Amino acid sequence: MRRVLLAIFLCACGPAYAGLDVCNKAASPAKVALGRFDGAAWMSQGWWTIAPKTCARLIDRPLVARYYYLYASDGGAGSWSGGRGFCVARTEHFTIGGRSDCAGRGYDQKAFFEVDTGNAPDWTQSLAD
């Protein structure tokens, strides 16, 4: 009987909360942009400002791709970057379709780093000094 009650309790808890979190373990606030492929097209989104020693949820549903791309800056000399070019805007919030001809479309281009989630539905990426 206890096993049945335990099984009912475990099933009643609902699905696990999944998505993409970024945690800022650095001493300064970080402005973060996200690049991704949705199965049909490339896009970039930003900016999330993440205070030191806190986290922010960038995607609020189970992840469907293995790879996501991030760029972050502390507003000074520091940034977290890589080798994948994505368009970004200077405005506070943006969503941009496509990765090509950023300057021709009025955007800046930044080099994002790759995040390999291993096809997990939930992932946390940390930024550190």
Side-chain angles (χ1 to χ4, degrees):
M1 182 66 170
R2 283 193 291 195
R3 286 185 187 174
V4 172
L5 291 175
L6 179 61
I8 291 170
F9 173 76
L10 291 175
C11 292
C13 292
Y17 194 63
L20 177 65
D21 293 319
V22 175
C23 294
N24 180 7
K25 296 186 176 190
S28 299
K31 290 186 77 168
V32 179
L34 169 69
R36 60 182 162 160
F37 185 73
D38 68 4
W42 289 99
M43 67 179 296
S44 54
Q45 296 173 282
W47 295 101
W48 286 267
T49 301
I50 307 174
K53 314 299 182 217
T54 64
C55 300
R57 181 148 289 226
L58 275 58
I59 299 176
D60 195 20
R61 60 187 171 279
L63 304 178
V64 296
R66 179 174 178 169
Y67 300 103
Y68 292 85
Y69 302 88
L70 295 172
Y71 173 83
S73 173
D74 67 4
S79 67
W80 295 266
S81 60
R84 305 288 179 145
F86 282 89
C87 302
V88 298
R90 294 180 186 161
T91 59
E92 186 176 342
H93 300 287
F94 69 87
T95 298
I96 302 169
R99 294 175 51 192
S100 62
D101 192 25
C102 298
R105 297 189 293 149
Y107 302 117
D108 293 332
Q109 184 177 41
K110 297 292 183 182
F112 287 48
F113 69 91
E114 183 176 87
V115 176
D116 183 351
T117 68
N119 287 320
D122 189 52
W123 190 264
T124 299
Q125 182 67 43
S126 293
L127 305 173
D129 288 327

